[in-house]
Amino acid sequence: MIMVVLESATVDEFAWLKDTNRKDPRVLEFLKRESERTERFLSDTKKLQEKLLKEFKSRTQDTYETYPVRIGDYLYYRRYEDGKDFPVVLRKRSPRAKPEVILDWNALAKGHEFFYPGGWEVSRDGRYLAFSYDISGGEKFALYVKDLRTGEIIDSIPRVSWEGFLWTRDNRLIYIVETEKTKRPYRVLLHEIGDDLKNDR
């Protein structure tokens, strides 16, 4: 017995909404109308929204720190401060030592219309910090390497998976590259800090 399965072609009715430059007037008008429709639909819940928001805020601390985690010789933790959008990453050698700010997402976000932080990883010897962020709004993350002795950015890698990287024992960087079209991870590469990306394997 032979069975034939016919697949009907599916048409994406919303394919026309793809606008990577965010300048298509048809798309902008559609999004505006959808926002207005949402506002109308939720208009009778305004008081409830305000009440819930007030209650949520009353149950959270405006400024707080995460529990420190030891990596090598340092304790690492994040501090969330009132009025700031993103946390600050700090480290210190002992619980009573003076903390050192190693990553301030808020400072990096300044001057950008869009900013989304990715992950961060400290090398095992505590010298280097790898971190990623996206300023495009299109999930195009770039990876940066900071020398924590000098505070300088010494390396960068485009098109990485937002948190797909880690350090080897000898301070080489393993990272995942995404494809430009699908944003899916497709290669894992090993990078020597400061070396040409063409030499990554």
Side-chain angles (χ1 to χ4, degrees):
M1 178 177 167
I2 299 174
M3 192 162 139
V4 179
V5 178
L6 297 175
E7 291 186 10
S8 59
T10 56
V11 177
D12 182 1
E13 296 177 12
F14 295 98
W16 65 274
L17 283 170
K18 184 175 182 181
D19 177 24
T20 54
N21 296 323
R22 301 184 180 199
K23 292 179 180 177
D24 188 328
R26 294 180 311 147
V27 174
L28 296 175
E29 181 60 28
F30 175 83
L31 294 175
K32 180 184 174 186
R33 287 199 316 267
E34 285 299 302
S35 294
E36 290 170 352
R37 189 164 72 104
T38 302
E39 283 290 321
R40 286 194 306 273
F41 183 80
L42 296 173
S43 60
D44 62 340
T45 67
K46 287 279 185 185
K47 288 185 179 178
L48 177 60
Q49 290 178 45
E50 291 169 6
K51 181 181 177 182
L52 289 173
L53 184 60
K54 188 176 180 181
E55 183 178 341
F56 293 156
K57 286 185 174 180
S58 72
R59 294 172 183 268
T60 59
Q61 291 178 300
D62 292 327
T63 299
Y64 65 96
E65 295 177 350
T66 60
Y67 194 79
V69 175
R70 181 167 291 281
I71 304 172
D73 296 332
Y74 292 89
L75 293 164
Y76 294 85
Y77 60 102
R78 294 184 305 279
R79 182 170 64 221
Y80 294 83
E81 297 178 2
D82 184 23
K84 293 190 177 180
D85 294 322
F86 307 106
V88 175
V89 182
L90 304 101
R91 73 176 182 180
K92 52 188 177 181
R93 287 192 176 271
S94 66
R96 297 189 183 210
K98 184 179 178 182
E100 167 194 4
V101 175
I102 61 168
L103 182 59
D104 185 347
W105 292 117
N106 300 286
L108 291 172
K110 283 182 181 176
H112 299 294
E113 285 186 27
F114 177 88
F115 182 85
Y116 189 78
W120 61 274
E121 286 283 336
V122 181
S123 62
R124 298 188 183 214
D125 65 357
R127 178 170 181 181
Y128 301 111
L129 171 70
F131 59 94
S132 66
Y133 60 84
D134 169 34
I135 57 173
S136 71
E139 297 186 9
K140 295 178 180 178
F141 286 88
L143 176 62
Y144 300 90
V145 177
K146 180 180 180 180
D147 187 333
L148 293 176
R149 292 182 185 175
T150 64
E152 294 179 12
I153 302 298
I154 58 171
D155 215 336
S156 63
I157 304 169
R159 291 190 302 114
V160 298
S161 181
W162 77 282
E163 204 168 10
F165 51 90
L166 55 90
W167 293 96
T168 63
R169 291 187 184 277
D170 56 355
N171 287 347
R172 289 185 293 174
L173 198 56
I174 295 173
Y175 65 96
I176 299 172
V177 174
E178 295 182 343
T179 61
E180 187 65 33
K181 291 183 179 178
T182 66
K183 303 288 186 249
R184 292 179 179 172
Y186 81 110
R187 277 199 300 174
V188 178
L189 294 165
L190 182 65
H191 178 66
E192 298 275 355
I193 300 305
D195 198 8
D196 194 310
L197 296 178
K198 292 177 183 177
N199 299 326
D200 291 359
R201 55 190 174 82

